[in-house]
Amino acid sequence: MQKAQFHQGVSPYLFVAPQVLIILVFFIWPAGQAIYQSFLLEDAFGLHSEFVGFLNYRDIFSDPEYLDTAVFTLLFAATVTFFSLTIALLLAVQANSVIRGAGSYKTLLMWAYAIAPPAAGLMGNLMFSPLIGDFYALINASGIDFNHHQNGSDAIFVIVLIAVWKQISINFIFFLSGLQGISNSVTEAARIDCPSTIKRFWTITFPLLAPTTFFLLVINTTYAFFDTFGIIDVTTRGGPGASTNTLIYKVYKDGFLGADLGSSSAQSVILMFLVLALTVFQFRFIEKKVHY
Amino acid sequence: MANIELHNVRKSYANGVEAIKGVDLQVADKELIVIVGPSGCGKSTLLRMIAGLETVSSGNLMLDGQIINHLEPAERDIAMVFQNYALYPHMSVFNNMAYGLKNRKVPKTEIEQRVIEAAKILELDQLLDRKPSQLSGGQRQRVAMGRAIVRKPKLFLFDEPLSNLDARLRGQMRIEIKQLQRNLATTAVYVTHDQVEAMTLGDRLIVMNQGKAEQIGTPSELYNKPASLFVAGFLGSPTINVLEGSLGKSGFEAESGHKLDRRKFPYSGKASLAIRPEDLHIVPVGQEDFRLRINMIEELGSETLAIGTVENSAQKLTVRLPKKTSLSEGALLSVKLDYKHSHLFDDHGKRLEPEKVEHRQQYSAIA
């Protein structure tokens, strides 16, 4: 090894600098700010703040509404992740076996990925709108009393639907490329070894897709926790009542609408650790079962 | 106990390409038949049709007298060894071999017994817990074989199983496959593009060319009596010598003007004469059919090949000489053809048989 390689002056640091700067400005600094703010109590006009230690955290954990929100968020994330993964997998398996017109199927299924979450939320909101929504008319015409502005479970249904629909396309792309990565001869060997298509899927295809599935599980969990904000904000605003309030939406509501920056910051810190813990859990316990 | 029959089996694709243009074949019980041919001849397609991985466009596939055209691969009671082994990467060696049995609801104890038995035969017993990625090419090949063996199928199908191995291992595995197939007494169909593999392994060969069976027969039949110029050129190393020319009443006359075969054939017109390098003999000056200017000498240890050009023509020929010779490049060789071993083919490459002179004489004597 020649040590001379490492005497390159400042240029390597300059190359890395933009990336480091972005991380510092947009991730580390705000995270630090959030942690700092979470120990402060500020008056409603933002004129005065005082250090209160863990008071904000204590308040949050003793607030039954926060607990409800946390439980709802976990269930919401689990539901969205589960359905967006399974439906995408189903579609990918079907598209993979299509021989004629495969290209157009794939393109059509990928389109939804280009739509921003708020736009998807807006579309969903209009479709289910009591004033002009076709789906609203359809569901009510079939005898079910449906109104996502008034009924909590209806509202949950709508945001889950939109969130799942929005995420299916990206999952589909990954699953499809995962499926196409499985060697043809392995699939053929399985056709000779196993008569049942369904069993073949679970014993050969699914295990070989595990790396993709695991990656998507992590991505979809964070999506359900954070990126669904846009959908909720446009569709239900956490309502009716607090029925579709997720943790991230509550952070926004309490901080920017309720002007309680201290509590909002504390909540975002908790959320950060929650998602971190979930991700660590996924890597520790689920990744072990993945064969790369 | 299994025999397989193909009756005018054809395969055509939606785009109109005909991959298999009608193949008839009978494979007897316990027979090892090798399908051989150049790439694109349809040999793998034919095998995959027998396996059920490709549909049969027309004709009948029969296993033990029953038509199996529409059976799923898993319902055919066959086992296949793939070119790239096609092991399940997420399963251990044991599970790779046991998978087919598990899906057929074989009792657990029997599965274990059969896998361990097969592993012993293939010397895999130390590797049962490994994943395919931890095995060498030769070991993977054995696992693929093991996966086929444990099933005790009616029919083994091999799709160029040795082509990914290095030359030494290939020679070794070739012998093992043949012994294994004999010991297990299971009917087998083996596809390869390697003519040495085909000749050494097969009880019978089927030489394919452009979707058709050029010839079906034992290795010696194919070698000694090739039915077409294609078969003659495909089998044998070094490649058979082919001389273009014409057949007339006085026999075969090469383009170079040499009269080479004086036998009578029921054909006249453009023809080719093919002769193997070992059937060209060096003779004292004056007795030769033609003289050969040597361009190159290839010493292979047990034999020597002389590659040269027929004097006063552009015709290239290879002559096989025993062991070492003192010949050098540029020398002139006097060469004589062994008529008994020359093969004549008509304009379309079909084999021509000489008229049987003795029979005629007998008949005329009686008359």
Side-chain angles (χ1 to χ4, degrees):
Chain A
M1 281 287 268
Q2 284 190 329
K3 273 198 168 176
Q5 290 180 13
F6 298 105
H7 292 291
Q8 306 242 346
V10 290
S11 57
Y13 300 100
L14 284 175
F15 282 124
V16 180
Q19 187 64 41
V20 172
L21 210 67
I22 287 171
I23 293 173
L24 280 176
V25 171
F26 290 102
F27 295 95
I28 307 291
W29 186 61
Q33 278 289 308
I35 293 169
Y36 171 67
Q37 288 263 358
S38 69
F39 295 116
L40 298 181
L41 190 62
E42 201 166 331
D43 68 76
F45 302 102
L47 298 172
H48 173 77
S49 61
E50 119 188 61
F51 185 82
V52 291
F54 283 94
L55 182 70
N56 286 325
Y57 290 94
R58 219 175 303 149
D59 280 353
I60 290 166
F61 285 121
S62 58
D63 179 4
E65 199 193 315
Y66 186 81
L67 222 73
D68 287 349
T69 309
V71 169
F72 169 72
T73 308
L74 285 171
L75 288 175
F76 173 73
T79 316
V80 168
T81 307
F82 177 77
F83 281 109
S84 59
L85 284 178
T86 45
I87 296 170
L89 182 57
L90 196 74
L91 289 172
V93 168
Q94 297 303 323
N96 194 39
S97 58
V98 168
I99 298 159
R100 220 169 284 188
S104 35
Y105 277 106
K106 287 166 198 167
T107 314
L108 287 173
L109 281 164
M110 285 175 198
W111 264 355
Y113 184 56
I115 298 165
L122 187 65
M123 275 161 47
N125 204 24
L126 292 176
M127 282 182 198
F128 287 99
S129 152
L131 299 174
I132 55 166
D134 290 335
F135 283 169
Y136 176 85
L138 199 72
I139 295 170
N140 281 285
S142 68
I144 301 162
D145 184 21
F146 184 94
N147 187 339
H148 76 283
H149 289 314
Q150 286 170 4
N151 194 330
S153 55
D154 295 352
I156 293 168
F157 172 77
V158 169
I159 58 160
V160 168
L161 187 76
I162 299 166
V164 168
W165 176 80
K166 173 77 188 74
Q167 194 65 3
I168 283 173
S169 54
I170 180 88
N171 293 347
F172 169 78
I173 297 168
F174 277 96
F175 274 133
L176 189 65
S177 67
L179 283 170
Q180 287 172 346
I182 296 175
S183 140
N184 254 338
S185 54
V186 168
T187 321
E188 285 173 353
R191 275 179 69 193
I192 291 172
D193 271 346
C194 181
S196 153
T197 318
I198 294 164
K199 192 162 184 199
R200 220 150 57 212
F201 175 80
W202 289 114
T203 49
I204 303 290
T205 314
F206 192 69
L208 292 179
L209 269 184
T212 311
T213 313
F214 176 70
F215 166 75
L216 287 177
L217 179 70
V218 175
I219 296 294
N220 278 261
T221 311
T222 38
Y223 162 82
F225 268 95
F226 297 114
D227 293 351
T228 48
F229 173 85
I231 296 170
I232 294 168
D233 191 42
V234 174
T235 318
T236 63
R237 291 178 187 277
S243 56
T244 57
N245 219 4
T246 58
L247 288 173
I248 187 76
Y249 200 73
K250 194 166 156 52
V251 168
Y252 162 76
K253 245 179 159 175
D254 291 356
F256 292 89
L257 304 180
D260 186 356
L261 282 184
S263 172
S264 169
S265 301
Q267 286 178 35
S268 69
V269 170
I270 295 167
L271 182 57
M272 189 169 78
F273 281 107
L274 183 69
V275 174
L276 199 69
L278 257 175
T279 312
V280 167
F281 170 83
Q282 287 171 336
F283 271 92
R284 283 287 298 274
F285 296 99
I286 303 179
E287 203 198 17
K288 275 188 185 160
K289 295 184 177 149
V290 173
H291 170 86
Y292 286 98
Chain B
M1 294 287 279
N3 58 72
I4 181 157
E5 291 171 46
L6 278 68
H7 295 293
N8 197 18
V9 165
R10 285 170 189 273
K11 173 81 192 174
S12 44
Y13 292 102
N15 59 10
V17 174
E18 222 183 0
I20 304 289
K21 297 165 185 164
V23 171
D24 286 286
L25 177 68
Q26 270 89 39
V27 187
D29 185 36
K30 295 172 194 165
E31 194 178 21
L32 174 58
I33 194 147
V34 176
I35 308 176
V36 65
S39 22
C41 70
K43 56 186 188 301
S44 278
T45 310
L46 191 61
L47 187 82
R48 290 165 55 81
M49 284 160 80
I50 299 172
L53 299 170
E54 300 269 359
T55 55
V56 177
S57 304
S58 75
N60 279 333
L61 259 175
M62 296 172 90
L63 185 63
D64 277 344
Q66 282 186 317
I67 295 177
I68 54 164
N69 283 21
H70 300 293
L71 288 184
E72 280 293 306
E75 297 164 347
R76 294 188 180 196
D77 204 4
I78 49 149
M80 184 157 165
V81 178
F82 290 81
Q83 181 173 5
N84 58 1
Y85 321 132
L87 301 179
Y88 309 123
H90 57 298
M91 292 185 192
S92 66
V93 169
F94 182 93
N95 284 328
N96 259 287
M97 296 209 266
Y99 182 65
L101 297 173
K102 281 180 188 164
N103 294 322
R104 285 177 174 78
K105 303 205 168 71
V106 177
K108 248 192 170 167
T109 47
E110 197 188 331
I111 293 179
E112 208 158 300
Q113 185 198 327
R114 280 210 224 171
V115 171
I116 288 169
E117 196 182 288
K120 268 195 190 132
I121 296 172
L122 294 163
E123 292 165 34
L124 288 169
D125 29 0
Q126 305 298 316
L127 307 171
L128 286 174
D129 294 329
R130 298 242 188 122
K131 290 271 171 71
S133 56
Q134 297 165 300
L135 301 177
S136 70
Q139 289 166 337
R140 286 180 206 185
Q141 172 61 50
R142 283 163 195 279
V143 178
M145 295 276 302
R147 194 167 62 181
I149 292 173
V150 292
R151 288 259 320 279
K152 297 188 180 168
K154 281 185 178 169
L155 185 66
F156 281 141
L157 301 174
F158 296 93
D159 188 6
E160 309 208 19
L162 304 182
S163 58
N164 284 355
L165 299 177
D166 62 70
R168 262 187 57 180
L169 207 51
R170 205 181 306 156
Q172 186 191 330
M173 285 303 289
R174 197 167 69 207
I175 296 164
E176 286 185 28
I177 288 180
K178 182 145 193 171
Q179 280 175 343
L180 206 59
Q181 190 265 342
R182 288 227 176 116
N183 293 341
L184 298 170
T186 306
T187 316
V189 181
Y190 189 108
V191 161
T192 180
H193 63 267
D194 181 345
Q195 47 116 350
V196 178
E197 217 169 283
M199 297 283 286
T200 51
L201 267 177
D203 294 322
R204 281 194 301 149
L205 312 187
I206 159 167
V207 179
M208 299 263 306
N209 182 27
Q210 297 182 343
K212 274 191 276 200
E214 287 272 334
Q215 191 175 3
I216 302 173
T218 63
S220 71
E221 270 170 30
L222 266 61
Y223 191 79
N224 297 321
K225 268 194 166 184
S228 68
L229 193 55
F230 178 84
V231 176
F234 191 77
L235 297 178
S237 172
T239 315
I240 201 163
N241 295 302
V242 179
L243 296 105
E244 302 294 332
S246 59
L247 257 179
K249 281 185 177 156
S250 59
F252 180 81
E253 188 179 327
E255 277 172 354
S256 55
H258 297 98
K259 293 218 179 230
L260 293 177
D261 196 334
R262 294 174 201 284
R263 291 179 295 177
K264 287 207 162 133
F265 288 89
Y267 173 85
S268 66
K270 272 193 66 146
S272 317
L273 182 147
I275 183 131
R276 300 210 181 269
E278 66 263 32
D279 297 325
L280 288 171
H281 302 296
I282 306 211
V283 290
V285 180
Q287 296 175 18
E288 77 269 2
D289 283 324
F290 52 81
R291 289 196 292 177
L292 191 74
R293 173 81 62 193
I294 298 175
N295 300 331
M296 209 190 332
I297 297 277
E298 283 186 347
E299 285 191 30
L300 301 172
S302 63
E303 62 191 28
T304 304
L305 301 177
I307 299 149
T309 320
V310 175
E311 206 181 21
N312 302 326
S313 81
Q315 179 71 51
K316 285 206 188 307
L317 285 181
T318 307
V319 182
R320 177 180 271 171
L321 307 166
K323 294 259 176 172
K324 269 198 130 151
T325 55
S326 54
L327 290 169
S328 60
E329 289 166 15
L332 263 179
L333 270 183
S334 296
V335 176
K336 195 167 175 58
L337 248 117
D338 190 345
Y339 291 133
K340 277 178 283 177
H341 295 121
S342 69
H343 311 283
L344 275 122
F345 301 98
D346 67 13
D347 208 10
H348 303 290
K350 277 201 108 149
R351 183 184 183 83
L352 295 167
E353 290 293 343
E355 289 171 9
K356 285 175 184 166
V357 185
E358 301 97 325
H359 280 261
R360 279 240 170 128
Q361 282 171 342
Q362 276 176 0
Y363 282 122
S364 56
I366 293 163

